[in-house]
């Protein structure tokens, strides 16, 4: 490690004066032109983390559901998980260091984390399809190489694919082959085996319309199509050939606006879904015979999966510990259904996949999905063996799952502006500014079966307002009133919020 080389390269990736960034729920995100120094320094940090863990570390260049002109970066830990919290602090410190202090901060991190600087380091890198991503990936590579780290640049990947590559490399291939082909083989084999049981007749033709948000998911899904059985037809929309990334399309758009993306025509009962820009979110939806739009968001996905698994376990008399992890912004009706009807315990954490994932690891079967479509199911080894034995029950469960959808009410999620709020109690209570939580409490009392929360976004410079009630009209009205309270008490700028914002 050569301090002069680090200083020289750092000057080529200089930090803009006065810029301060925070490693948030999904790493760093801001306008792409402000990120060159961050990418270089995250390359440096990835080398230190690799040395400290004696493992492969991942770096993903993406801003997920953000607009095309944004970009971002996050580090992936050895088991394919989010970066450890203590290293998030190191990332923030390093990203905001002045040029003259970069080497000193690197040495401080090495000392605090007990990094063996003689240890070899290996970093894998992926990126999404944003125009800025290739250039910013090269900045990461500069950071890795100047500290003597080795790397493999996978180029264009979805975020889940990069997480997979990291885990495969650190499990010595036991989890799978650390290649794109290995990823397709593993997932498609599981899918084909599952659907053999789900469609017992063998003659049902399955089709799916996929909104790819004009992102990397379109490229990778096209590559994956040949791995599926001939009984599955995938039709891609917003595939990047025209239109901007995440503009009027993608999982976040569909979830927020409760309607199909631009460019997709839906017929009655067609199966449809949407990715986001880096394909780590998914929501499903369909239109019924009366033309009504039905969204199967993360809350419903978690409800369906966990209820299905709970029923199977009860039928065979297994006592595996199953739990669902949600945030305060989960649909309250899904929580009540799981706890009161299905008797599945539900736990609440702060917003962010890393918080849900950590909690879900405490169970034999841990299910977590944010409403926006981030999520998965975690199985212990014992649970995995039991679940495989129960696959033949899928056909009957599929019918029950369709009936269950009618018991989960769609409640609306609103978005407001301005990041001036701090929260506590898993983001369900506003601490600042003074008087805001009291105002929200008074507003909630006006509506039946209502809740409302506010929080600063972890990925965008906005304040998010969440409201639910016993009807769409009431939810809209409550969201508007809470937005006005935020505007008035938190120093809102621009136009006052108006109904239907």
């Amino acid at each position: 490690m050569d301090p002069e080389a680090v200083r020289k390269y750092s000057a080529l990736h200089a930090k803009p004066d006065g810029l301060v960034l925070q490693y948030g729920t999904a790493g760093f995100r801001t306008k792409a032109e402000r990120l060159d120094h961050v990418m270089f320094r995250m390359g440096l940090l990835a080398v230190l983390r690799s040395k400290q863990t004696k493992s492969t570390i991942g770096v993903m260049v993406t801003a997920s559901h953000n607009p095309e002109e944004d970009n971002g970066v996050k580090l992936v830990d050895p088991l394919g998980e989010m970066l450890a919290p203590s290293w998030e602090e190191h990332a923030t410190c390093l990203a905001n260091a002045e040029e003259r202090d970069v080497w000193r901060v690197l040495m401080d991190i090495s000392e605090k984390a007990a990094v063996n600087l003689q240890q070899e380091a290996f970093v894998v890198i992926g990126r999404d399809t944003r125009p800025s991503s290739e250039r910013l990936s090269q900045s990461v590579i500069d950071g890795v190489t100047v500290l003597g780290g080795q790397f493999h640049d996978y180029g264009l990947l979805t975020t889940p694919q990069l997480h997979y590559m990291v885990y495969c490399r650190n499990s010595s291939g036991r989890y799978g082959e650390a290649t794109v082909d290995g990823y397709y083989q593993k997932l498609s084999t599981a899918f084909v085996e599952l659907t053999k049981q789900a469609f017992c007749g063998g003659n049902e033709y399955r089709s799916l319309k996929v909104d790819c948000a004009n992102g990397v998911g379109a490229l990778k899904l096209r590559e994956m199509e040949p791995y599926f059985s001939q009984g599955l037809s995938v039709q891609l929309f917003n595939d990047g050939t025209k239109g901007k990334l995440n503009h009027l399309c993608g999982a976040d758009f569909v979830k927020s606006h409760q309607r199909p993306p631009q460019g997709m025509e839906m017929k009655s009962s067609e199966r449809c879904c949407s990715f986001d820009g880096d394909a780590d979110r998914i929501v499903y939806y369909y239109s019924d015979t009366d033309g009504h739009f039905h969204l199967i968001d993360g809350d419903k996905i978690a409800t369906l999966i966990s209820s299905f698994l709970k029923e199977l376990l009860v039928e065979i008399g297994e006592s595996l510990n199953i739990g669902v992890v949600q945030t305060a912004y989960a649909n309250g009706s899904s929580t009540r259904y799981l706890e009161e009807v299905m008797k599945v315990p539900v736990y609440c954490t702060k917003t962010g996949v890393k918080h849900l994932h950590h909690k879900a690891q405490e169970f034999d079967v841990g299910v977590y999905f944010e409403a926006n479509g981030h999520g998965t199911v975690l199985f212990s080894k014992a649970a995995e063996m039991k679940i495989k034995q129960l696959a033949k029950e899928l056909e009957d469960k599929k019918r029950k799952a369709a009936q269950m959808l009618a018991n989960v009410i769609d409640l609306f999620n609103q978005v407001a502006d301005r990041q001036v709020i701090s929260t506590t109690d898993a983001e369900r209570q506003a601490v600042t500014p003074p008087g805001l939580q009291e105002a929200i409490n008074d507003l909630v009392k006006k509506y039946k079966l209502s809740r409302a929360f506010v929080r600063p976004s972890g990925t965008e410079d906005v304040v998010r307002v969440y409201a639910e009630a016993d009807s769409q009209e009431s939810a809209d009205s409550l969201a508007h009133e809470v937005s006005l309270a935020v505007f008035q008490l938190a120093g809102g700028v621009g136009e006052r919020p108006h109904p239907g914002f």
Side-chain angles (χ1 to χ4, degrees):
M1 294 176 63
D2 184 349
E4 289 305 315
V6 171
R7 293 188 183 101
K8 176 183 176 181
Y9 271 83
S10 184
L12 298 176
H13 301 279
K15 182 176 81 71
D17 291 338
L19 180 61
V20 176
L21 297 172
Q22 179 77 30
Y23 196 101
T25 55
F28 293 106
R29 285 188 194 170
T30 187
K31 299 300 181 186
E33 63 268 18
R34 307 169 74 190
L35 279 170
D36 180 58
H37 75 290
V38 173
M39 298 295 180
F40 171 73
R41 296 178 186 191
M42 291 307 99
L44 300 174
L45 191 71
V47 171
L48 294 187
R49 182 61 170 159
S50 178
K51 289 175 179 289
Q52 194 237 9
T53 60
K54 299 180 182 179
S55 304
T56 295
I57 296 297
V59 179
M60 185 67 195
V61 178
T62 182
S64 188
H65 64 282
N66 282 38
E68 187 173 89
E69 58 269 21
D70 291 355
N71 217 318
V73 59
K74 67 175 183 178
L75 272 63
V76 179
D77 257 0
L79 297 181
E81 298 174 301
M82 300 295 188
L83 186 63
S86 61
W87 279 76
E88 290 183 6
E89 296 177 12
H90 295 327
T92 297
C93 184
L94 182 58
N96 293 321
E98 298 303 325
E99 289 300 322
R100 64 181 179 275
D101 297 326
V102 169
W103 179 257
R104 178 186 60 78
V105 172
L106 284 173
M107 293 301 99
D108 287 347
I109 294 171
S110 299
E111 182 177 350
K112 290 176 181 177
V115 177
N116 177 6
L117 298 179
Q118 304 307 312
Q119 174 69 36
E120 294 183 351
F122 197 88
V123 178
V124 294
I125 303 161
R127 68 178 190 270
D128 69 13
T129 56
R130 296 166 193 272
S132 60
S133 289
E134 186 171 5
R135 172 179 59 83
L136 293 176
S137 290
Q138 184 57 53
S139 298
V140 174
I141 292 171
D142 288 349
V144 172
T145 55
V146 75
L147 281 190
Q150 301 296 308
F151 71 93
H152 180 84
D153 182 9
Y154 280 98
L156 293 171
L157 285 182
T158 69
T159 292
Q161 285 179 323
L162 183 71
H163 285 261
Y164 168 86
M165 302 305 174
V166 173
Y167 190 25
C168 286
R169 285 177 176 270
N170 289 317
S171 66
S172 301
R174 291 189 299 274
Y175 186 71
E177 180 185 337
T179 64
V180 172
D181 180 69
Y183 179 88
Y184 296 150
Q185 290 282 7
K186 185 177 180 71
L187 266 67
S188 63
T189 298
F191 174 81
V192 170
E193 289 301 313
L194 188 66
T195 53
K196 281 180 180 178
Q197 304 299 330
F199 301 94
C200 297
N203 296 319
E204 182 174 346
Y205 186 73
R206 302 183 295 277
S207 63
L208 180 67
K209 288 185 171 181
V210 184
D211 160 32
C212 299
N214 291 315
V216 69
L219 302 177
K220 297 306 174 181
L221 192 52
R222 278 202 183 96
E223 291 176 359
M224 194 173 184
E225 278 189 83
Y227 292 80
F228 293 123
S229 64
Q230 294 182 353
L232 176 66
S233 171
V234 177
Q235 187 176 2
L236 306 188
F237 296 83
N238 299 312
D239 63 357
T241 55
K242 58 182 179 179
K244 292 183 65 175
L245 181 72
N246 294 322
H247 181 61
L248 302 178
C249 60
D252 195 57
F253 174 86
V254 173
K255 175 69 175 70
S256 298
H257 292 80
Q258 301 280 303
R259 62 184 175 89
Q262 180 174 280
M264 179 188 286
E265 180 183 351
M266 279 178 31
K267 296 179 181 178
S268 174
S269 300
E270 286 183 326
R271 300 181 180 95
C272 305
C273 68
S274 288
F275 294 142
D276 64 342
D278 63 337
D280 69 345
R281 295 184 182 190
I282 190 168
V283 295
Y284 297 89
Y285 45 94
Y286 64 95
S287 177
D288 63 25
T289 54
D290 295 324
H292 296 139
F293 178 82
H294 295 267
L295 177 68
I296 307 175
D297 62 7
D299 292 333
K300 288 185 176 179
I301 293 171
T303 300
L304 291 170
I305 291 175
S306 57
S307 299
F308 164 69
L309 294 174
K310 174 66 181 296
E311 288 183 353
L312 291 184
L313 293 173
V314 169
E315 285 181 13
I316 64 169
E318 285 293 335
S319 58
L320 293 175
N321 185 18
I322 183 170
V324 176
V325 188
Q326 297 182 328
T327 72
Y329 299 88
N331 190 311
S333 58
S334 70
T335 307
R336 288 190 293 272
Y337 182 84
L338 285 168
E339 291 183 328
E340 297 172 12
V341 179
M342 296 308 303
K343 307 301 180 184
V344 174
V346 180
Y347 300 84
C348 188
T349 71
K350 292 175 62 177
T351 304
V353 172
K354 62 185 179 184
H355 301 297
L356 288 94
H357 188 91
H358 179 74
K359 184 65 178 178
Q361 290 177 312
E362 298 179 9
F363 307 100
D364 293 324
V365 182
V367 181
Y368 70 87
F369 276 87
E370 293 182 299
N372 60 31
H374 275 136
T376 192
V377 182
L378 301 179
F379 297 102
S380 67
K381 289 296 183 183
E384 187 175 351
M385 294 299 296
K386 293 297 181 182
I387 297 302
K388 286 181 178 179
Q389 296 174 12
L390 303 172
K392 293 183 180 180
E393 302 292 334
L394 275 171
E395 181 63 25
D396 183 55
K397 302 309 169 185
K398 177 189 171 188
R399 176 182 56 79
K400 290 184 178 180
Q403 296 172 347
M404 183 165 48
L405 278 176
N407 296 322
V408 182
I409 303 170
D410 280 328
L411 297 177
F412 197 68
N413 187 335
Q414 294 284 357
V415 179
D417 192 18
R418 195 66 178 164
Q419 184 167 345
V420 295
I421 293 171
S422 62
T423 62
T424 188
D425 188 23
E427 300 176 320
R428 289 178 287 192
Q429 296 285 317
V431 177
T432 60
L436 178 57
Q437 187 58 52
E438 290 77 7
I440 294 172
N441 292 343
D442 290 340
L443 292 170
V444 166
K445 292 176 183 177
K446 296 166 56 178
Y447 300 89
K448 295 179 180 179
L449 295 176
S450 64
R451 302 189 304 162
F453 313 102
V454 298
R455 71 172 178 89
S457 170
T459 59
E460 302 169 74
D461 190 20
V462 298
V463 170
R464 298 194 179 275
V465 175
Y466 177 93
E468 66 177 53
D470 63 339
S471 70
Q472 181 72 62
E473 182 180 1
S474 294
D476 290 344
S477 179
L478 176 57
H480 174 237
E481 293 191 84
V482 173
S483 298
L484 284 174
V486 171
F487 187 88
Q488 293 163 357
L489 297 173
V493 296
E495 285 188 39
R496 292 169 60 86
H498 53 83
F501 68 97

